[in-house]
Amino acid sequence: MSRNLNLRQNVINQMLEGIAQHHIRSPLPAQAALAEMFNISRTTVRHTLHYLEQRGVLEKVAGTYVIVRQPQDEDGFSELSSPIEQQASQFEQAFFEMINLRQLAPGDAFSELQLAQRVKVSPVVVREFLLRFMRYDLLEPVKRGRWRMKKFTLDYADKLFELREMLETHALTRFLNLPSQDERWIQARDLLDRHRALRDTIASDYRQFAALDKELHSLILSAANNPFFNHSLEIISVIFHSHYQWDERDLKQRNIVALEEHMALLSALISRQDVDALLALHNHLATSRSSMARSIRQYN
C-alpha cells in the first residue's frame, strides 16, 4: 500500500508541475493519453484527476477536465512522504485531539480532504481510518468523501459503560495478581504521586486531569495483556477520556471528585487490597456514568 500511495502522490506532484509549467493545457488530454504520458495505469490517472478536482484545480465539464486555477504549493505533497503506518498513527492522534478540543462536535460535517490537509497526511489514510471508525456508530457518511459526526443516545452510552465495566473489572483483577517485580507497580506508584501533585493545583489545572484519567485506565487495561482490550480502549478514549459531548459547566467539580476516586483506587491497588480496589473502581465508573447520563439528557 505504501508503494502505491507514494506513486499516486508523486504523479499528483508531477501533474501539478506540468500544469504550472503549461506543459499540460486545458482541456486536459484523454485519460489514456495521460496514462501513457506518465507511464501509469488509468486507475492512477483517475485517482489523480479526482484529487485535483477536489482541490479545485480541475473541473469536469461535459466529460472533460479543464483547468480552473493555477496550482498552489499546498496542493501537492512533500517529496518524501511519511510511511503509511506513521501517517495512520499521526492522523488517529490528531482526530481524537480534535474531538477533545471540540473542533469536531456532534452534528459537524467535514470532508476527508479537509482533514487530510489539516493533519498533512494522505486522503487515503483519512478515508481508511474513518471507514474503520464508522463501526462505532459515531459518524456517518454524507456522500463520497464527506462525513458527519453523530450524537449518541443514553442507551448507547449505557452499553459502552457495560462494556467498559466488564473489561476494567477483569483487567483490575489481573493487575492485582501481577508479580511484585512487574514494572506496572512502579508505574502505579508514580501515577499516584502525580495525582497527589495535581490535587494541590487542581483549582486552576483541572483540565490536566484528562491525561491522568486516560493513563490510569490504560494502565489497568494493560494488565489483561489482550490486544482486543486495547482496541476497545480506542472508542472508550474518544467518549469517556475526551469528554465527547459533555457539558463543561461543572467540569472542574467533576474532575476534583474523579481525582479523589482515582487516588482511592490507586492506594487500594498498590496496597493489594483486592476488595477495596474493586469497590473503588466500581464507584468511580458509577460516578462517571451518572455524569454522562446527566449531560446527554441536557443535550438530547
Side-chain angles (χ1 to χ4, degrees):
M1 180 188 296
S2 180
R3 188 183 304 113
N4 290 338
L5 179 61
N6 284 330
L7 170 63
R8 289 177 174 182
Q9 291 180 352
N10 287 333
V11 171
I12 288 169
N13 285 346
Q14 292 170 23
M15 195 169 293
L16 286 168
E17 183 178 2
I19 294 172
Q21 298 295 326
H22 304 292
H23 299 315
I24 300 177
R25 298 183 180 276
S26 187
L28 268 64
Q31 293 185 17
L34 289 170
E36 184 176 354
M37 182 186 305
F38 290 97
N39 192 27
I40 55 176
S41 68
R42 294 192 187 187
T43 299
T44 302
V45 169
R46 286 193 293 271
H47 174 89
T48 302
L49 295 175
H50 176 68
Y51 173 85
L52 296 181
E53 184 182 15
Q54 285 189 307
R55 292 291 302 175
V57 175
L58 302 179
E59 183 177 326
K60 196 170 186 180
V61 178
T64 302
Y65 284 92
V66 296
I67 300 170
V68 293
R69 70 168 175 84
Q70 285 298 298
Q72 305 294 323
D73 290 342
E74 58 268 22
D75 292 325
F77 295 92
S78 300
E79 289 299 323
L80 295 176
S81 300
S82 301
I84 197 70
E85 296 81 6
Q86 182 178 331
Q87 289 190 46
S89 176
Q90 176 186 344
F91 180 74
E92 178 178 335
Q93 181 178 355
F95 183 77
F96 291 162
E97 183 177 346
M98 282 185 273
I99 291 177
N100 190 30
L101 296 176
R102 305 296 179 91
Q103 295 168 352
L104 281 180
D108 284 355
F110 56 88
S111 72
E112 295 167 8
L113 193 56
Q114 286 173 329
L115 295 187
Q117 293 169 353
R118 184 171 187 168
V119 186
K120 295 182 172 55
V121 297
S122 165
V124 176
V125 170
V126 174
R127 179 166 182 78
E128 290 185 351
F129 174 85
L130 296 178
L131 286 171
R132 291 197 312 273
F133 192 76
M134 186 173 65
R135 69 181 183 270
Y136 297 122
D137 202 29
L138 287 179
L139 77 165
E140 59 185 352
V142 179
K143 57 183 179 180
R144 180 167 179 80
R146 294 195 63 83
W147 301 78
R148 180 183 294 111
M149 300 298 294
K150 295 174 63 176
K151 293 183 178 181
F152 62 89
T153 64
L154 184 58
D155 180 64
Y156 182 90
D158 279 340
K159 288 182 171 60
L160 281 167
F161 263 105
E162 184 178 6
L163 172 63
R164 181 186 187 186
E165 189 165 17
M166 288 189 296
L167 295 179
E168 295 201 32
T169 299
H170 172 76
L172 183 60
T173 301
R174 294 287 297 270
F175 202 115
L176 287 161
N177 288 283
L178 289 174
S180 57
Q181 66 271 23
D182 193 291
E183 65 177 10
R184 280 168 285 200
W185 290 112
I186 298 175
Q187 294 174 18
R189 286 190 286 271
D190 173 68
L191 195 52
L192 178 57
D193 289 341
R194 285 187 282 135
H195 275 73
R196 287 169 174 161
L198 179 60
R199 181 172 58 180
D200 294 336
T201 62
I202 196 166
S204 58
D205 297 333
Y206 63 93
R207 289 186 181 276
Q208 294 182 16
F209 173 76
L212 290 181
D213 186 55
K214 183 174 182 179
E215 191 171 347
L216 171 64
H217 293 285
S218 298
L219 179 63
I220 291 173
L221 286 175
S222 73
N225 293 320
N226 188 323
F228 296 105
F229 280 36
N230 297 333
H231 293 160
S232 299
L233 182 62
E234 175 185 17
I235 186 60
I236 291 172
S237 296
V238 173
I239 295 179
F240 302 116
H241 304 153
S242 298
H243 309 295
Y244 183 96
Q245 214 175 309
W246 283 38
D247 177 12
E248 289 198 353
R249 285 175 293 184
D250 62 345
L251 179 61
K252 180 190 291 188
Q253 184 59 37
R254 285 206 312 265
N255 284 357
I256 291 173
V257 171
L259 182 74
E260 295 295 334
E261 292 175 343
H262 275 203
M263 292 175 62
L265 170 56
L266 285 166
S267 297
L269 179 63
I270 294 168
S271 301
R272 309 288 184 103
Q273 298 174 358
D274 297 24
V275 174
D276 290 345
L278 287 166
L279 180 61
L281 174 64
H282 290 307
N283 287 340
H284 175 54
L285 294 181
T287 301
S288 179
R289 187 177 203 156
S290 176
S291 296
M292 177 163 280
R294 185 170 61 252
S295 177
I296 292 173
R297 290 191 186 101
Q298 289 174 349
Y299 285 89
N300 283 310

